[in-house]
Amino acid sequence: AIQEFGFPTDALTPDSVVATSCLIQMGTPPVQLHIMSAIDGVAWESVWAGREVTTLDGRAVAFIGRQEFLANKRAAGRAGNPARPWCFGGAEDPRPTGY
């Protein structure tokens, strides 16, 4: 099933997963996951400390926190979608709290 989803099991080794600047893509557009071993603008320690944890299908899943996400986007030169200026501090977020 994982190979049908597009996970590159034949090219993946433990060393390749922990390599600096490794990008693992699985799935096919429009349903695709990108797993990166490093990102610009933030250190692993701050990403881990700022992570957000939620539950999906009864399992705890961690995501990068908002502040670390924004720091990465700024460092990568991706200022965001002008249709959503609140994502980067350009306006107040109009969504309900906790969204």
Side-chain angles (χ1 to χ4, degrees):
I2 199 165
Q3 288 176 328
E4 289 176 23
F5 179 65
F7 189 77
T9 56
D10 57 334
L12 197 60
T13 67
D15 288 337
S16 67
V17 174
V18 297
T20 303
S21 299
C22 175
L23 171 64
I24 299 170
Q25 297 182 51
M26 55 180 110
T28 55
V31 180
Q32 193 171 40
L33 300 172
H34 296 170
I35 300 172
M36 296 173 266
S37 62
I39 57 175
D40 295 330
V42 291
W44 167 251
E45 292 79 12
S46 66
V47 172
W48 186 251
R51 72 191 181 278
E52 298 288 334
V53 180
T54 190
T55 303
L56 295 174
D57 291 331
R59 295 176 187 223
V61 179
F63 294 90
I64 187 171
R66 185 173 192 271
Q67 295 306 313
E68 294 76 21
F69 174 77
L70 294 176
N72 167 250
K73 294 302 173 196
R74 287 186 187 105
R78 298 179 64 196
N81 183 339
R84 293 178 285 162
W86 62 86
C87 291
F88 291 87
E92 188 172 325
D93 188 341
R95 298 173 300 175
T97 302
Y99 192 105

